[in-house]
Amino acid sequence: MGAGHQPRHTADYDAVVVGAGFAGLYQLYRLREQGLSVRVFEAGSGVGGTWFWNRYPGARCDVESVDYQYSFSEELRSEWRWSERYPRQEELLRYLDHVADRFGLRPHIQLGTRVERAVFDEESGHWTVGTDRGDLVRARYCVMATGCLSVPWMPDLPGLEDFAGEWHHTGAWPAENVDFTGKRVAVVGTGSSGIQVTPVVAEQADELFVFQRTASFSVPAFNRPAGEEDAAETSAEFHRRREFARHSVFGLSVPVNKQLALAVSADERRREYEARWRMGGLPMYGAFADLLIDRAANDTAAEFLRGKIREKVQDPDVAERLLPRGYPLGGKRICVDTGYFEAFNRSNVHLVDIKDTPIDAITPRGPLVDGVEYPVDVIVFATGFDAMTGALSQIEIRGRHGAALSEKWAAGPASYLGLAVAGFPNLFLVTGPGSPAVFGNVVVSIEHAVDWISDAVAHLRRRNLALMEATADAEDAWVRHVNEVAGFTLLGDVDSWYTGANVPGKPRVILGYAGGAGEYRRRCDETARQGYTGFALS
Ligand code: N01
């Protein structure tokens, strides 16, 4: 409980869901549809999760609108019109607000409430969930829909507390407009968030300093307004695209080329890379089948993208410093940008390379690097997230014998299928560590996980079973498999949020399942079909 709070509301529900983003809203819908009483707790003052918090200028999804929406309701799909090829944060938030209203979900959602504890009571077989608002509720099932990238990560920079200007993290952006007009601004971090915010701030600010530690690979979005022809095409195409994505490697609707990069001529490679480039965004992953497996193949794609940066950036010295090197393309999620590299052709935008000379401190005037002070009015931290495990580690989760999840996961998260944890009966994770969600279109993964969890709950209720718990053996085997698969790819060795390497002290393990969204689905569904193998039901 939060300091000074007494429990003020105790109640019993069939299920508690933590989080009201894409995952929590759909989980609520599915469980309500099955007749369960459900309480959703959401820390934000509105629904939307990721799209509630990431309101920074330029925030936009890197998956196309048509694919980044729910598929569970044909009515919802047909009545909603997206305005652009890639949806802006505001539009996604409007969509999720609409979903909450359209399906009557709001009465079951308690906003502005952070879950602090979830404790399993062996005697009753229930979870007790406590919040910072003093709620204490009991539920048979507890579903963590807490998001993969929901805890912003801030570097520990001495002096920040005395900075005289304002600063914001992209992942916890204020609802009020932050005006950069006439200001000197610093952007720290050049991943997906930094790459999106930079060109927008560049247009408003007097001077913009972009502090880059690692240069990123980025493919343009080629965003455009959605036209009448898109609507017609997507109505007809939606289900085909979604079905394809469900069984694909990345959860995307664009096929992966089956050829190997090094099995074709240099000319053919170039043609394929150009074609993927013109598609815009994430389809670049699938230019050849071996890009994430074979470093030599990967180098050809990386060099193609470096060539594009050289073409775009007028100052050869700046271009050189913007070239991503030292890690494979896709080892960090490929960024999708609108005018990022072009922003460095503006006279008010300055690249500050901090690879070898990190930011030492923030003085009251601004970042200090290698003895040089950069006086600014605003600092934008686009420094990423404590991914996959961050949100769960902020909640005190205790399973059988009072064992804490944080202790169990001290050396890295262990789960069965990214859905359940041995020793934590009836606790379900939506796209938890060990699931493939973060390597592709998270909405496709969310729908699958929620459907799987909902079906499991229905199975228990139909058979009058009280508990479902992953066995330790099944969990061990899954963790081994996740690591083995990662070992075949180029992903496991890269310092990134995929491996926990972005947060000092975090165990360095691959956090997502790299075996493909389709293969993962096949395994989960097979488990369910066979009566939930790897789970003890009682
Ligand atoms: O975070 P990141 P993000 N000093 O971890 C740098 C999704 N997303 O918020 O690489 C200086 O990728 C860090 O440097 P380095 C998407 O899945 C999607 O940008 O660690 N710099 C890096 O440059 C994405 O992958 C969309 O050397 C420091 C940056 O901060 C994921 O979210 C938009 C530093 C962090 O990059 C995370 O993206 C936004 C320090 N002390 C996000 N610490 C779209 O849909 C960190 N950095 C398009």
Side-chain angles (χ1 to χ4, degrees):
M1 295 298 102
H5 283 291
Q6 288 304 311
R8 54 163 204 175
H9 174 221
T10 56
D12 284 359
Y13 297 95
D14 292 318
V16 161
V17 175
V18 186
F22 256 104
L25 290 177
Y26 182 41
Q27 186 64 79
L28 169 60
Y29 170 81
R30 281 294 317 264
L31 293 178
R32 289 289 302 152
E33 207 189 21
Q34 288 174 210
L36 273 72
S37 60
V38 186
R39 192 73 176 161
V40 178
F41 292 114
E42 164 56 56
S45 60
V47 303
T50 286
W51 303 106
F52 175 87
W53 296 107
N54 286 263
R55 297 162 184 257
Y56 59 87
R60 190 183 290 284
C61 187
D62 59 2
V63 174
E64 290 182 61
S65 312
V66 58
D67 297 320
Y68 200 84
Q69 62 182 329
Y70 292 118
S71 69
F72 69 86
S73 161
E74 186 55 22
E75 293 75 27
L76 169 67
R77 196 199 58 71
S78 62
E79 72 200 14
W80 186 266
R81 281 279 166 273
W82 296 101
S83 68
E84 292 175 275
R85 180 182 181 199
Y86 289 94
R88 271 170 306 134
Q89 171 270 330
E90 303 93 287
E91 192 164 20
L92 280 160
L93 191 54
R94 236 184 312 122
Y95 173 71
L96 292 168
D97 267 318
H98 171 68
V99 168
D101 292 329
R102 168 95 175 55
F103 296 100
L105 302 178
R106 288 196 195 274
H108 312 286
I109 303 171
Q110 186 173 321
L111 298 171
T113 306
R114 190 172 282 282
V115 168
E116 293 185 325
R117 302 185 79 211
V119 179
F120 181 67
D121 173 35
E122 300 218 31
E123 225 160 88
S124 67
H126 280 80
W127 284 87
T128 302
V129 176
T131 76
D132 64 350
R133 299 266 301 268
D135 308 277
L136 199 61
V137 305
R138 262 170 29 116
R140 173 64 76 187
Y141 313 103
C142 182
V143 183
M144 295 296 178
T146 40
C148 299
L149 294 156
S150 46
V151 175
W153 187 76
M154 269 296 292
D156 185 13
L157 292 169
L160 181 60
E161 63 284 1
D162 297 324
F163 176 55
E166 59 177 307
W167 65 267
H168 305 286
H169 190 288
T170 49
W173 200 261
E176 316 76 59
N177 181 38
V178 179
D179 187 7
F180 297 101
T181 316
K183 296 201 172 140
R184 294 168 62 88
V185 182
V187 168
V188 180
T190 52
S192 297
S193 304
I195 276 185
Q196 286 190 329
V197 79
T198 289
V200 183
V201 176
E203 283 185 8
Q204 294 175 16
D206 255 14
E207 301 290 334
L208 169 60
F209 299 88
V210 179
F211 292 80
Q212 172 190 272
R213 190 164 68 183
T214 307
S216 288
F217 290 101
S218 187
V219 178
F222 295 121
N223 190 32
R224 53 174 163 70
E228 272 310 305
E229 74 284 11
D230 288 309
E233 179 195 282
T234 57
S235 296
E237 282 282 285
F238 175 76
H239 291 289
R240 189 199 62 76
R241 285 173 76 116
R242 180 56 63 96
E243 193 52 19
F244 182 89
R246 287 185 182 122
H247 303 284
S248 69
V249 177
F250 299 109
L252 300 176
S253 59
V254 177
V256 174
N257 182 355
K258 291 201 169 58
Q259 291 179 298
L260 305 180
L262 298 179
V264 303
S265 68
D267 272 358
E268 208 171 317
R269 268 201 304 274
R270 174 131 205 119
R271 271 199 301 278
E272 181 65 23
Y273 291 141
E274 280 292 352
R276 295 272 165 171
W277 173 267
R278 280 196 304 275
M279 284 180 201
L282 299 180
M284 184 58 77
Y285 274 113
F288 289 98
D290 52 351
L291 290 189
L292 293 184
I293 297 169
D294 179 342
R295 186 63 192 259
N298 190 286
D299 284 344
T300 64
E303 195 45 39
F304 172 84
L305 288 184
R306 285 193 282 264
K308 290 291 186 188
I309 297 171
R310 291 189 187 99
E311 282 170 19
K312 286 181 182 205
V313 180
Q314 287 154 6
D315 181 330
D317 170 56
V318 177
E320 192 57 31
R321 290 188 287 138
L322 283 167
L323 300 183
R325 292 195 188 281
Y327 68 98
L329 169 74
K332 298 166 186 265
R333 186 172 172 109
I334 297 176
C335 302
V336 180
D337 74 280
T338 300
Y340 173 66
F341 295 110
E342 293 84 342
F344 291 92
N345 294 332
R346 301 173 64 105
S347 58
N348 67 329
V349 178
H350 317 281
L351 181 65
V352 186
D353 197 334
I354 53 169
K355 181 86 190 158
D356 301 319
T357 49
I359 298 174
D360 294 319
I362 305 291
T363 74
R365 286 156 50 88
L368 182 71
V369 177
D370 204 17
V372 179
E373 192 183 52
Y374 293 83
V376 292
D377 304 298
V378 188
I379 306 177
V380 175
F381 287 100
T383 45
F385 299 87
D386 183 353
M388 303 296 284
T389 54
L392 294 171
S393 66
Q394 288 190 348
I395 303 171
E396 183 187 349
I397 302 173
R398 293 189 179 274
R400 284 196 191 280
H401 318 299
L405 187 69
S406 57
E407 278 162 35
K408 174 170 172 144
W409 284 9
S415 79
Y416 181 37
L417 299 168
L419 288 163
V421 184
F424 296 76
N426 289 4
L427 177 78
F428 296 102
L429 314 177
V430 182
T431 66
S435 81
V438 291
F439 296 134
N441 178 354
V442 72
V443 172
V444 173
S445 288
I446 282 172
E447 280 200 331
H448 174 245
V450 168
D451 286 340
W452 192 97
I453 292 165
S454 308
D455 291 348
V457 167
H459 179 89
L460 295 178
R461 287 162 63 84
R462 263 197 314 273
R463 284 169 176 69
N464 273 326
L465 293 164
L467 298 179
M468 176 171 196
E469 181 180 355
T471 67
D473 284 351
E475 183 177 271
D476 287 349
W478 183 250
V479 171
R480 261 200 316 280
H481 177 62
V482 167
N483 286 312
E484 261 164 33
V485 169
F488 287 120
T489 74
L490 303 174
L491 299 172
D493 289 337
V494 181
D495 283 349
S496 72
W497 61 262
Y498 288 162
T499 53
N502 65 322
V503 174
K506 189 167 171 170
R508 200 181 188 295
V509 292
I510 187 81
L511 292 167
Y513 176 58
E519 173 61 15
Y520 171 79
R521 176 179 297 264
R522 194 190 62 69
R523 286 171 181 259
C524 292
D525 294 354
E526 184 67 11
T527 296
R529 237 190 330 273
Q530 291 181 1
Y532 296 94
T533 46
F535 287 92
L537 308 184
S538 57

